[in-house]
Amino acid sequence: MHPRRRGFTMVEIMVVASVVVTLFVFAISLMVRGFSAEKSIGGKLQVVHEAQIASVRLSEILHDATELFAPALAIDETRPFAVFANHSNELMVLYVDDKQRLMLLNRNTTEKQSLASGVTRFRAYRRGHRLLNYHLTLRDATTGELLNLLGGVCVRNDQN
């Protein structure tokens, strides 16, 4: 008769320890991937949010324009800026500055206002006397991915 064993052998303890360590490492790697994905998605959502805000602000500002000076009314002619008169008859300019911000400059008062950051490109073009279309490209600061935003607005009272 064999005596009854009361403990675990060293081999059994090593096997259980290696299985537990493997499961622990796998769980940690899943958590790290989850945090990385959350950060990436959070950055993209931030860029999309900024693009939506910029689009709404551009639409409000341009809808209030009374006269469009640039870009000129021509087929397939785009400009990296838009020049217009607002309801107060002030000369306004939309452009991207050297810090990659979409800026609104009031040429009468020299007051500048940042409408969006991370903007790599702004192009404006006309589709008729009262319709101004624009193409805005924003860069995600974390991933470097580009987001293109196309919009258009019918100005209030274009006199061209």
Side-chain angles (χ1 to χ4, degrees):
M1 216 183 227
H2 295 305
R4 279 196 143 184
R5 265 185 357 186
R6 294 220 162 172
F8 296 105
T9 64
M10 190 59 132
V11 172
E12 291 171 330
I13 291 173
M14 294 291 281
V15 167
V16 169
S18 66
V19 168
V20 168
V21 166
T22 302
L23 288 175
F24 185 71
V25 167
F26 181 69
I28 295 266
S29 71
L30 286 177
M31 282 180 28
V32 167
R33 272 194 248 150
F35 289 138
S36 175
E38 181 181 348
K39 184 178 179 182
S40 173
I41 290 170
K44 289 177 186 173
L45 288 177
Q46 180 65 27
V47 171
V48 169
H49 180 69
E50 285 184 24
Q52 289 172 335
I53 290 172
S55 178
V56 168
R57 292 178 82 187
L58 276 172
S59 293
E60 289 172 350
I61 290 166
L62 292 170
H63 181 69
D64 199 32
T66 57
E67 189 171 354
L68 291 170
F69 299 109
L73 183 58
I75 297 174
D76 296 327
E77 183 179 329
T78 66
R79 294 282 182 251
F81 56 85
V83 181
F84 60 94
N86 66 10
H87 67 283
S88 301
N89 207 27
E90 296 169 317
L91 188 61
M92 308 297 284
V93 181
L94 280 167
Y95 67 98
V96 176
D97 71 359
D98 57 347
K99 295 179 183 168
Q100 293 190 330
R101 298 177 301 183
L102 180 64
M103 301 296 292
L104 177 64
L105 169 66
N106 183 328
R107 293 286 294 171
N108 295 50
T109 65
T110 66
E111 177 186 342
K112 292 181 183 179
Q113 179 183 7
S114 176
L115 302 178
S117 60
V119 178
T120 60
R121 185 173 190 234
F122 173 76
R123 300 297 286 182
Y125 53 99
R126 304 237 335 238
R127 296 275 189 221
H129 290 287
R130 297 187 62 220
L131 184 60
L132 179 72
N133 290 345
Y134 56 86
H135 178 187
L136 193 63
T137 304
L138 293 102
R139 181 179 303 277
D140 183 343
T142 40
T143 65
E145 291 182 47
L146 297 177
L147 173 72
N148 288 304
L149 173 71
L150 301 173
V153 65
C154 188
V155 298
R156 183 174 66 154
N157 185 23
D158 188 5
Q159 299 167 359
N160 284 339

